[in-house]
Amino acid sequence: MNTKTSDTLLLIVFSIAVLAGPVILAPFGAGYPDLLQKFAIYGIFAIGFNILFGLTGYLSFGHAAFLGVGSYAAVWMFKLLSMNIIPAVIFSVIVAGLFSLVIGFISLRRSGIYFSILTLAFAQMCYNLAYSVLTPITNGETGLQITLSDPRILDAAAEGQAPASNLFGLDMISTWETSLAGMTLQFNMGFYVCALILILSFWISMRLFRSPFGMMLKAVKSNQNRMSYTGLDTKPYTLAAFVISGMFAGLAGGLLAAMDPLAGAERMQWTASGEVVLMTILGGAGTLLGPVLGAGLIKYFENIFSAINDSTLHGVFAFLPDGLNNAVSAVLGLFVGEGWHLTLGLIFMLIVTFLPGGLIEGAQRIGRLFTSRSKADPQSGEAQSRPAPAE
Amino acid sequence: MTPILEVQSVNKRFGGLKALDDVNLTVMEGTVHAIIGPNGAGKSTLLNCFVGRLVPDTGTVTFAGQSLIGKKPHEINQAGVSRVFQTPEIFEDLTVLENVMIPALAQRDGAFRLHGWHPLSREAEIRDKAERALADVAMADRRNMPSGSLSRGDKRRLEMAMCLVQEPRLLLLDEPTAGMARADTNATIDLLKRIGSERNITKVVIEHDMHVVFSLADRISVLAQGHVIVEDAPENIKGNAKVQEAYLGGAHL
C-alpha cells in the first residue's frame, strides 16, 4: 500500500472514530460533552505542538501562553462583536499567531535547552502580566467573562442572562440525548464543532508531514549544520513551524472559550505548557496520531481517575472480607482521586523507558507481531527492518 | 582558463595564534586544486573562510566575481559552492533518497520556501534527479534505507551525491578519504576523477594522503604555518626543496 492510499485510509478511520466519539467512549464513562470537547480541543493543541516539537525537535515550554492568548482573544470577540464562534475562533488564531511570531523570533535565536528556557520565561511573563498589569484586558484573578451589558454590536440585545455561544444560532451547549444498551449517549453541538476542527487539523498536519516543507523540518531536527551548507536557511523554517504550532494552540484556546465563554490566566501557567509536552511524548512525538492519543489519555486520567474516591473503591472490592477490602482500597486509593498524578507519572515512566516512541510505537510493535507471521516474503523483511516512518 | 576562486592577502588570528598569514591563492575553473600541509598549517581554517563558517580578519575571498566575505553558509552554497566534511554530515534520521532530495529542493527553491501543502510524492522531477545522483555514486539500491545505518564509506558517498545533485560550480572536499581503507580510497579517487571529467566541476581538496593528492590534483598549494610556501604543478612539488623542508622535515617523497 503506498503512502497516499494509507494516508487516506488513516484519515477516514480517524474521522469515523472521532465522530463516533460519544458512542465509543460512553462505556468508559467518558461520553459526556464536557470531557469529549476537551479530548478534541487538547488533541488540536497537541497536533500543533507536534509540528514544532515532533518535526523540528525544538522543545517549547511555553505553548500554553498561546492557548491562553487565544482564549482571551475569543472572549473579547464574544464581548464586543458577537456570540457567534466564527469571528472569535478566527481572531484567536490571528492573535496567537502574532504572539508566536514575536516570541518565536526572539526565542529561536537559541536552540536546545536555552530555547526551552526562553519560551518558558516568555510564557511565565504572559501569565504574570495577565494576573497583574494587564488586568483591564484580562480581568486578573477573576478571569475574563461575558456579561449581559457587553456591547456585542452584531447581536440583538439579550435579555435575562448572558447569551450562549453559538454557530449561526446553533447553541454550543445544546445536547441531544438517547440511550443505547442502558447507556446514555450525549450528542453535543459543541463537541461536533470541535470534532470537525480536530479532523481538519489532523488533515492539515498530515499534509504538512508529507510535504517538502515537512521534510525540511525533519532535516532541521536531524542536522542543522548540513542544512546550512546545503543552501537552506534554517531560521525561517523553524520560525514558520513555531508560528504554525502557535496558531494551532490559539485555535485550541479559542475553542475552549467557545465551549465555555471565560478565560483565566491559569490556562497559561507552566504546568499547562508541560502538559502538552507530556501528551506529545506519551502518544509519540513526530507521529501523526500519537499526540491526539496522548492528549486523550491524559485528559481521561485527569477527569476519570481523579473522580474515583474511597467509597467507589470500597464498593468495587465489597466482595472481599472487610479487613482486606480496607487494605486494598487504601493502597489503590493512592493512585486515584487526588493521586491520579501518581498513576500518570508511573505510566509516563513506563512508556518513556520501554516505548520511547510512545503509544504509537507500542501499537506498531503489536501490529508487527501479527504481520510478521502472516507475511514471510523477503520484501516485507526489508521494509520492517526500517524504523517505522512517522505515521 | 579563468580563475573561479581568488584568495587575496587573507589573515586570520585566533588570540595569539596567527592561523592564516597573508594567504594568496587562485583556483582555475575546471581544475582540481589540492591544499596540503602539515597538521596545524591552517588548511581547515582556510576552507572555513571559503564557506562562511569563519570570516577572515583582513583580505578578500572572491568566487566567480562575487565576494564571499560576510556571506552566510547557505548563501555561499546557493551561489554554487558545495562542501564535503571530514566526518560525513548527513541527515541521519532520514532515508538515503530523502537526503539527496533535500539539496535538490534547496537548489530549485532557494534558501526558504513554505511549500507545506503539496505532497512530496508529486515531486517526480526532484526524485528522478536525486535517484540519478545516487546512481552516480552507485548507491541507487540503498535509496530507501535509513541513512544513519550506512557504513562510514557509504555515508561519504551519500554526502558526495548530496553535493553533486546541486550541480555546484565549486566542490570543497575536506580530507575525503580520511579513515578509509586503501580499496575505498581508490574507489573515491576514481569517483572524483569521473565526476570531474563529466561535469567540469572545480574541486578544492584538502588531503593528507599523498597518493590521493598526486592522483587527483592538477595544481597543489603547500601551506605551512598559515602561509602558502609553494604553489605549483604536482610534478614540481615532489622535488621542491622548500616543501620537503617544511612539510616532510627534509625526507624525500
Side-chain angles (χ1 to χ4, degrees):
Chain A
M1 199 157 47
N2 66 28
T3 320
K4 205 181 165 194
T5 334
S6 61
D7 276 1
T8 315
L9 200 66
L10 179 63
L11 187 63
I12 291 169
V13 171
F14 179 79
S15 307
I16 293 171
V18 170
L19 294 174
V23 182
I24 297 171
L25 292 168
F28 302 98
Y32 57 96
D34 186 47
L35 184 55
L36 286 169
Q37 289 167 2
K38 276 192 185 144
F39 283 153
I41 291 171
Y42 282 91
I44 295 168
F45 188 22
I47 282 177
F49 185 77
N50 188 45
I51 290 171
L52 178 70
F53 175 58
L55 289 179
T56 71
Y58 275 79
L59 177 57
S60 162
F61 250 105
H63 256 52
F66 308 129
L67 183 94
V69 164
S71 284
Y72 283 121
V75 176
W76 270 110
M77 278 290 114
F78 288 141
K79 287 170 89 68
L80 299 176
L81 209 60
S82 161
M83 285 308 290
N84 192 326
I85 63 166
I86 299 271
V89 168
I90 291 175
F91 189 59
S92 58
V93 172
I94 293 171
V95 172
L98 292 175
F99 259 74
S100 53
L101 186 68
V102 174
I103 293 180
F105 185 79
I106 301 168
S107 306
L108 285 166
R109 302 180 77 84
R110 293 283 171 271
S111 60
I113 186 80
Y114 303 101
F115 168 79
S116 304
I117 296 288
L118 277 171
T119 50
L120 175 63
F122 272 113
Q124 283 302 93
M125 253 161 64
C126 292
Y127 167 70
N128 284 310
L129 285 174
Y131 254 130
S132 55
V133 190
L134 296 176
T135 303
I137 301 173
T138 62
N139 204 19
E141 277 180 55
T142 326
L144 194 62
Q145 293 169 351
I146 54 165
T147 61
L148 198 55
S149 57
D150 291 328
R152 266 188 288 283
I153 50 173
L154 293 182
D155 290 1
E159 279 168 33
Q161 54 178 359
S165 53
N166 63 70
L167 181 67
F168 302 112
L170 298 166
D171 279 356
M172 290 300 113
I173 50 170
S174 62
T175 303
W176 178 70
E177 283 188 22
T178 183
S179 64
L180 179 82
M183 294 176 304
T184 314
L185 302 181
Q186 295 172 297
F187 298 95
N188 168 260
M189 188 63 210
F191 166 71
Y192 276 99
V193 169
C194 295
L196 288 177
I197 297 179
L198 173 65
I199 292 167
L200 187 71
S201 304
F202 186 75
W203 182 55
I204 292 173
S205 129
M206 190 182 253
R207 296 288 301 226
L208 279 176
F209 266 64
R210 306 290 187 233
S211 72
F213 178 71
M215 184 167 68
M216 295 303 179
L217 295 185
K218 287 180 208 162
V220 168
K221 184 179 186 175
S222 191
N223 191 342
Q224 288 210 38
N225 196 34
R226 178 31 94 191
M227 244 187 129
S228 27
Y229 289 103
T230 300
L232 294 158
D233 195 359
T234 53
K235 187 98 189 270
Y237 279 106
T238 48
L239 186 60
F242 193 88
V243 173
I244 291 170
S245 76
M247 287 165 81
F248 271 103
L251 175 65
L255 283 173
L256 277 179
M259 296 304 116
D260 184 10
L262 50 88
E266 74 287 344
R267 254 175 219 173
M268 305 169 115
Q269 214 176 357
W270 68 273
T271 47
S273 295
E275 199 180 54
V276 73
V277 179
L278 293 191
M279 287 170 179
T280 309
I281 294 176
L282 203 58
T287 64
L288 280 170
L289 207 51
V292 185
L293 294 180
L297 191 74
I298 287 186
K299 285 294 153 191
Y300 184 79
F301 271 87
E302 187 184 293
N303 289 275
I304 303 297
F305 263 63
S306 63
I308 301 173
N309 54 28
D310 266 0
S311 58
T312 330
L313 284 174
H314 276 98
V316 170
F317 295 103
F319 61 91
L320 294 170
D322 260 4
L324 202 56
N325 184 351
N326 287 341
V328 170
S329 300
V331 172
L332 288 179
L334 295 172
F335 296 93
V336 295
E338 292 278 290
W340 73 273
H341 280 114
L342 186 58
T343 317
L344 182 65
L346 285 172
I347 291 182
F348 190 73
M349 266 170 53
L350 288 174
I351 288 194
V352 169
T353 314
F354 296 106
L355 292 173
L359 294 171
I360 289 291
E361 189 186 331
Q364 281 167 344
R365 282 197 195 172
I366 293 168
R368 229 169 288 159
L369 276 181
F370 291 105
T371 50
S372 62
R373 272 177 214 161
S374 58
K375 280 190 279 179
D377 56 308
Q379 279 266 301
S380 69
E382 192 204 9
Q384 281 161 17
S385 63
R386 276 185 64 183
E391 288 293 332
Chain B
M1 273 198 294
T2 50
I4 188 161
L5 182 72
E6 285 175 285
V7 180
Q8 278 173 343
S9 6
V10 162
N11 286 281
K12 182 74 192 174
R13 251 177 197 291
F14 295 114
L17 176 77
K18 196 147 200 196
L20 295 178
D21 179 13
D22 196 35
V23 172
N24 290 288
L25 191 76
T26 305
V27 178
M28 292 295 172
E29 185 151 24
T31 62
V32 179
H33 196 119
I35 299 172
I36 63 170
N39 281 329
K43 303 183 297 294
S44 292
T45 308
L46 185 61
L47 193 79
N48 283 331
C49 288
F50 299 163
V51 292
R53 178 177 273 190
L54 291 175
V55 182
D57 297 334
T58 58
T60 59
V61 180
T62 316
F63 168 72
Q66 50 179 319
S67 171
L68 295 185
I69 304 292
K71 283 214 167 120
K72 294 199 178 102
H74 71 262
E75 293 169 332
I76 293 175
N77 175 278
Q78 289 287 349
V81 182
S82 284
R83 166 176 191 180
V84 172
F85 285 81
Q86 201 169 338
T87 321
E89 292 264 354
I90 57 171
F91 303 111
E92 305 229 346
D93 304 329
L94 303 178
T95 68
V96 169
L97 183 64
E98 284 171 329
N99 264 275
V100 191
M101 284 176 79
I102 288 171
L105 284 165
Q107 192 211 2
R108 191 194 65 187
D109 295 339
F112 173 71
R113 189 173 156 197
L114 191 65
H115 37 20
W117 199 246
H118 85 118
L120 196 57
S121 52
R122 235 172 269 164
E123 294 282 8
E125 219 171 285
I126 294 287
R127 178 179 297 262
D128 290 348
K129 205 174 168 191
E131 287 191 345
R132 278 199 305 277
L134 281 175
D136 278 351
V137 297
M139 287 197 51
D141 55 329
R142 259 160 267 191
R143 66 170 80 83
N144 289 324
M145 273 177 76
S147 64
S149 67
L150 295 174
S151 71
R152 193 181 150 124
D154 283 349
K155 282 182 187 173
R156 164 80 65 209
R157 285 197 288 160
L158 171 60
E159 201 187 21
M160 284 192 191
M162 290 165 75
C163 290
L164 292 174
V165 79
Q166 296 195 307
E167 295 158 13
R169 290 184 68 187
L170 177 64
L171 179 61
L172 304 173
L173 302 124
D174 193 354
E175 299 197 33
T177 63
M180 275 190 188
R182 180 57 76 178
D184 287 338
T185 302
N186 288 336
T188 308
I189 293 171
D190 289 343
L191 177 66
L192 287 171
K193 275 185 179 164
R194 192 153 48 81
I195 297 159
S197 59
E198 281 166 15
R199 313 196 190 191
N200 198 36
I201 298 172
T202 313
K203 283 176 274 239
V204 171
V205 187
I206 287 183
E207 188 55 75
H208 271 299
D209 189 330
M210 288 304 134
H211 170 61
V212 179
V213 171
F214 289 113
S215 330
L216 281 176
D218 300 312
R219 198 134 185 106
I220 296 176
S221 293
V222 185
L223 216 60
Q225 289 168 342
H227 199 76
V228 179
I229 52 169
V230 182
E231 188 189 321
D232 214 332
E235 54 273 21
N236 300 334
I237 294 285
K238 276 188 186 172
N240 189 298
K242 259 163 106 182
V243 176
Q244 286 171 4
E245 178 61 37
Y247 187 72
L248 304 159
H252 282 272
L253 276 176

